Amino acid sequence: MPPWPPADGVVAAARQRRTFAIISHPDAGKTTLTEKLLLYAGAVAEAGAVRAREGRRRVRSDWMALEQERGISISSTVLQLHVGGRVLNLLDTPGHRDFSEDTYRVLAAADAAIMVLDVAKGIEPQTRKLFEVCRARHLPILTFLNKCDRPGRDPLEIVDELEDQLALRATPVTWPVGEPGDLRGLADFRRDCFVRYGRTTRGATVAEEEVLSPTHAAAEEGAEWARAEEAAALFREVGATLDEKSFLAGESSPLFAGAALTNFGVRHLLEAIEELAPAPVPARDADGLERPLEAPFSGFVFKIQANMDPSHRDRVAFVRTCSGHFERGMTLTLARTGRPFSTKYATSLFGSARQTIDEAYPGDIVGLVNATGVRVGDTLFTGPPVQFPPLATLAPELFTVARAADVSRFKQFRRGVSELEEEGVVTVLRDEASGDAEPMLAAVGQMQFEVLSYRLREEYGVEVVLSPAPYTVARRTDRATAEALAAQRSVRVMERRDGLLLALFESPYWLDRLQRDHPEYRLEELVVD
Ligand code: G4P
């Protein structure tokens, strides 16, 4: 007997959910694909013309800019689509590599990822980094091979590259038919047919599709169809065919060819998200125990956004629902402090339009407004207490000492730094030598510091002076090693708010030498917690 009454409705609702994120290197087509998924899910009637976005600074959210550009109302953090009886939650990930850490946290809230590759470029640096996070979490990945409408590399080469560079077995589901520059349609290996697409201007509306049998396709497309059939035979021969078990384990990846711009393959991808992507499963707590889906509400904060809109100066915590039925107005407990937390103001949509959310189920994201005192990584629950494990963090690579230009603004400076740290904008490191007046800030990308400076000025009225510190590498360490390192030159051990100790080195050379001379020191790479 479970310790709480079975809640069939919760498990059934969880089974309908698909919560996923799109990962890609900038320019591979994430924004375009997002927009086309909206179009095919019926969330927008027409996809607007994509305007040149050169020089656009993706500081906050790609979707916010998308909203402004297209005048459509979508969420800047999570987009909920209702397709074929399923509820799809699409989570936004920042496009710029400087915000990789935000992306890491978002991936912690996703149950699957879509990896978008540009067929002309294959695997790019940011794709690889994000893929590694997915792999560490055994996240199932669907691959979308984009821009097949224009000359690129042979898709077979990309399949090899996935295997060679990422040890990911691609299992093609759709394959391009046509010359580069003259894409005619896609071979659908699952349904054994050819799908020919009608033209739409930049894919503003759903493209007409004509489904042809292999015999018809051979008669009409000749050599181009034969090439796709050869590829299919090859995949069958090497066993590169759709395999649910290895896909769910994150070892193989169903591959969809297409062109988001002209809508080729978008429907297939959307169907695959519905059919293949996994529904939420019970989350494990910090002790490795599963919290059943039907247990009372629990969730964790994967993102905090404050002052998103100057007319709503507030702070929203985004909570991934892990178990139970969320009902607006319920009182939750913040696991870290044991304090109650009211959910009177829960929202689902952000950006230009906010909507109150009344209920949510496992997989759904709830935005809690007025989330003062809440930090990224916090657990919230009702009923039996639970604490989910800390979120993934990346080793910082940039360090800078911060101080308020005007000492009379010190109080605002301290509050601003602390609140921005809670949001995860930067990491603050401390040791005995550093006081609150001149904290050491650490980041993965330079733009994190720029965001901090900008927001301290705009939101807290503080002009900040940043003095870069000479460290370039950080390693996680322990107390014993920290004591031994105290006498060393070119290394400084500092503590993160959660108690994690980081040894900062001026050069990888010092680190290598120390590791060689003292193999007993604990100096671990901090890629994913
Ligand atoms: P991102 O979010 O991953 O950074 O990529 P985004 O969708 O902004 O797309 C980057 C560029 O690639 C855009 O061109 C977009 O139109 C183009 N693109 C996306 N998908 C396809 C596709 O399937 N085929 C082709 N040929 N192009 C595609 P841009 O020049 O930056 O903007 P614009 O001039 O098209 O507005």
Side-chain angles (χ1 to χ4, degrees), residues 347-392:
T347 68
S348 65
L349 274 177
F350 303 91
S352 51
R354 284 192 177 192
Q355 261 181 17
T356 300
I357 186 172
D358 287 319
E359 56 175 7
Y361 291 96
D364 290 343
I365 310 301
V366 179
L368 297 176
V369 184
N370 297 339
T372 324
V374 174
R375 294 181 195 162
V376 162
D378 272 344
T379 299
L380 290 151
F381 65 88
T382 53
V386 60
Q387 172 80 61
F388 292 113
L391 294 184

Side-chain angles (χ1 to χ4, degrees), residues 330-343:
M330 70 199 314
T331 300
L332 305 176
T333 304
L334 185 61
R336 182 170 44 80
T337 60
R339 293 222 185 103
F341 188 93
S342 159
T343 63

Side-chain angles (χ1 to χ4, degrees), residues 27 29-32 50 53 58 146-147 149 202 259-261:
D27 270 352
K30 180 165 72 83
T31 315
T32 311
V50 185
R53 285 185 293 277
R58 295 156 200 245
N146 194 28
K147 307 198 188 182
D149 60 318
R202 291 176 69 91
L261 191 67

Side-chain angles (χ1 to χ4, degrees), residues 172-178 183-197 210-214 217 221 224-232 235 255-258 264-265 267-268:
V173 176
T174 62
W175 200 250
V177 176
L183 184 66
R184 314 299 300 262
L186 299 169
D188 180 342
F189 294 155
R190 253 201 312 175
R191 306 213 161 86
D192 194 23
C193 62
F194 170 56
V195 182
R196 188 152 57 198
Y197 287 82
E210 192 188 347
V211 178
L212 276 71
S213 70
E221 299 297 336
E224 293 307 329
W225 174 254
R227 258 222 292 273
E229 287 213 308
E230 270 167 36
F235 298 136
L255 180 139
F256 297 82
F264 282 41
R267 181 177 59 79
H268 286 91

Side-chain angles (χ1 to χ4, degrees), residues 20-22 30 34 60-64 75-79 89-95 102-103 106-107 302-303 305:
F20 65 102
I22 304 180
K30 180 165 72 83
T34 301
R60 289 215 172 158
S61 163
D62 284 344
W63 291 4
M64 266 184 160
S75 149
S76 54
T77 288
V78 59
L79 200 61
N89 293 309
L90 170 50
L91 309 182
D92 184 25
T93 55
D102 291 334
T103 305
V106 171
L107 288 172
F302 65 96
K303 173 172 174 159
Q305 229 166 33

